[in-house]
Amino acid sequence: MSETEPLQFRDPAQAEQLADRLETLMADIDEPVSLMHVCGSHEQAIAKFGLRSMLPDGLSVRMGPGCPVCVTNMPEVDEAVAIAEQGATVATYGDMFRVPGTKKSLADARADGASVEVVYSASEAVELAAANPEEEIVFFATGFETTAAPTAAILDADPPANFSVLSAHKYVPPAMEVVAEMPDVDIDGFLAAGHAATITGYGLFEPFVETYELPIVVGGFEPIDVLLAIERLLEYVRDGKAGLENAYPRCVSKAGNEQALETMWDVFETVPGEWRGIAEIPGANLVLRDPYAEYDARRRFDVEPVDDGPDPLTEQCICGDIMAGKADPDECDLFGEECTPSNPVGACMVSSEGTCKIWDEYGGHPNL
C-alpha cells in the first residue's frame, strides 16, 4: 500500500496488502515480535474483525493496561458502594455497574436498596444533581485522560452544591512505564490509544521513547488503522530503532487538546495508586486538587469500607497478568467457567473494553 493511497478503513484489498507487508517485515526480522496495545477499543477492533488471524507467525499483539474499568481497584469500588450505602445516589458509567468490589458491586448495592444510577457522561450526573437538589449525587468517575478531561470541565463550571466526584480516574503513561520495566514482560513496541492521544497529544510519548528505547505508534480503531499502526511498529523493530509516530493524524495532533489539558491539570493532580491486579504505580491516579476539595466525595463522605479480604474466587482471577501482557484470557482457570459475562469474577469479564469479555464475545484467540 503506497503512502499516497487514501485509507479505506474496512477495505479487504488494503487489509490483504497490509497483511502481506507484515509477512514481509516479519521475514526480515526473523525472530518473534511482541507488541502491546494500550486500549480496549484496539482489542475490540482486533477481535471483531479477526485481525489476529491475519498476523504472521511469530507476531504477537497483546493487551496492556488499557481498559479503564478493568484497572479500577477493588477498594475504589468499595468506596463507591460505601457511599451508596450511606444514602447518597452514586452515578457511574454502565461498565462500572457490575464490577465486583471486595464484597459487592454497585449492582449488588442497588439490589440491597442503595440508590445507584447509570449515566453516560459526567454532565448527565450533574443534570441528575440539578434535578434532585435534596439528594447528594456522587459521580463515581472512572477512565483515563479521555474521560478525566470532561470530568474536570464539569468541576470547573461550578456544578450544584449537592454534586461531588469520587475520582478513580487514571493516567496512562506511568502505567506504560511500569509495564515496560517488568522483567517478565518482553515488549518490542507499543500501539498507543488514539482517543487518549486526542487529549494528550502524541508528543507526550517522546520522553518514554527516549528512556525505554522502544517504538510507539498512535493508532486509530478501524481495521486498517490497526494494521497500519502494526506495520509502522514492525518497521521500527526491523530497523532496530526506537521512534514515535502518529498513524492517526485525522484526530491526533502533537500538542493534543491544549484547553482540555489545561483544565484537566487545573482540577486534578497525580498521586501513586494501585491498578487492579497490576501494581502500585507512581503518579498514575488522578485526585482533586485542594481548590476543588468541596466537590471531593472522599472528603465529604466516610469512604472507609470494612476490609475483611476479597472473595477467595477473586484471588484466582488473573486479570492483572492479562493487562500486563503476561497471559491471555484462556490461560485463566476461571475463564468461561466460573467467570462469564453474566457472572463475572474479574473486571476484565465485565467491561466492553475488557479482554476477557471481548474474547468471550468474539471467540478468543487465535482462530477467529
Side-chain angles (χ1 to χ4, degrees):
M1 211 175 94
S2 73
E3 293 186 0
T4 57
E5 187 177 353
L7 295 180
Q8 302 295 324
F9 302 124
R10 301 185 183 186
D11 182 353
Q14 288 194 351
E16 289 297 336
Q17 289 178 48
L18 284 165
D20 291 344
R21 177 69 175 150
L22 300 186
E23 192 81 41
T24 299
L25 286 165
M26 284 299 295
D28 291 343
I29 295 168
D30 196 27
E31 60 183 27
V33 173
S34 183
L35 305 177
M36 176 175 281
H37 65 76
V38 197
C39 182
S41 296
H42 277 143
E43 185 64 32
Q44 284 178 331
I46 290 167
K48 179 178 180 180
F49 296 102
L51 301 186
R52 279 200 177 85
S53 66
M54 303 179 71
L55 302 183
D57 291 342
L59 174 58
S60 171
V61 179
R62 309 183 71 83
M63 173 79 181
C67 167
V69 171
C70 304
V71 300
T72 302
N73 207 21
M74 280 195 290
E76 293 171 318
V77 177
D78 295 342
E79 289 177 332
V81 169
I83 290 173
E85 291 180 335
Q86 290 174 38
T89 292
V90 172
T92 193
Y93 297 119
D95 277 1
M96 282 308 306
F97 187 56
R98 294 193 305 121
V99 173
T102 303
K103 294 297 181 186
K104 284 184 177 182
S105 65
L106 285 167
D108 296 329
R110 186 159 80 173
D112 291 341
S115 178
V116 181
E117 297 291 338
V118 172
V119 295
Y120 292 98
S121 65
S123 59
E124 190 176 341
V126 169
E127 291 170 6
L128 190 64
N132 299 276
E134 74 287 355
E135 295 182 24
E136 287 284 343
I137 307 296
V138 179
F139 179 49
F140 184 30
T142 61
F144 303 134
E145 297 89 325
T146 316
T147 51
T151 302
I154 286 294
L155 292 173
D156 200 42
D158 194 22
N162 63 323
F163 176 80
S164 59
V165 169
L166 177 64
S167 176
H169 283 308
K170 304 197 184 299
Y171 186 53
V172 172
M176 291 174 61
E177 294 175 7
V178 166
V179 170
E181 291 174 354
M182 287 180 172
D184 49 351
V185 176
D186 187 15
I187 298 298
D188 298 296
F190 283 90
L191 169 55
H195 43 35
T198 61
I199 301 296
T200 63
Y202 71 88
L204 172 81
F205 297 112
E206 284 180 338
F208 180 97
V209 171
E210 184 175 342
T211 300
Y212 295 96
E213 298 182 339
L214 288 171
I216 292 182
V217 174
V218 176
F221 304 98
E222 292 289 345
I224 299 300
D225 283 327
V226 175
L227 291 172
L228 184 66
I230 293 172
E231 180 207 29
R232 297 290 190 260
L233 283 167
L234 286 186
E235 287 177 346
Y236 281 109
V237 174
R238 177 200 60 190
D239 297 340
K241 295 180 179 177
L244 173 63
E245 186 166 332
N246 177 22
Y248 197 29
R250 66 184 184 276
C251 294
V252 174
S253 65
K254 186 171 184 178
N257 186 328
E258 294 180 76
Q259 183 174 355
L261 278 175
E262 182 178 348
T263 303
M264 188 176 86
W265 292 124
D266 181 52
V267 172
F268 290 109
E269 61 182 335
T270 60
V271 295
E274 188 80 20
W275 285 39
R276 188 172 186 144
I278 299 177
E280 165 112 358
I281 301 178
N285 279 18
L286 297 175
V287 297
L288 300 187
R289 293 183 183 274
D290 284 341
Y292 296 89
E294 63 181 304
Y295 297 114
D296 190 341
R298 288 190 175 88
R299 307 190 201 199
R300 190 178 294 193
F301 297 91
D302 176 8
V303 293
E304 294 294 333
V306 176
D307 182 8
D308 54 358
D311 185 305
L313 198 60
T314 302
E315 296 183 318
Q316 299 177 43
C317 171
I318 65 167
C319 277
D321 285 348
I322 292 168
M323 289 183 289
K326 300 178 186 176
D328 287 331
D330 53 7
E331 295 178 60
C332 180
D333 291 339
L334 306 180
F335 180 75
E337 300 294 336
E338 290 89 350
C339 184
T340 64
S342 60
N343 186 33
V345 175
C348 291
M349 190 59 91
V350 179
S351 172
S352 60
E353 294 188 75
T355 309
C356 297
K357 172 76 177 297
I358 294 168
W359 281 40
D360 182 89
E361 183 173 1
Y362 291 107
H365 166 78
N367 299 316
L368 298 170

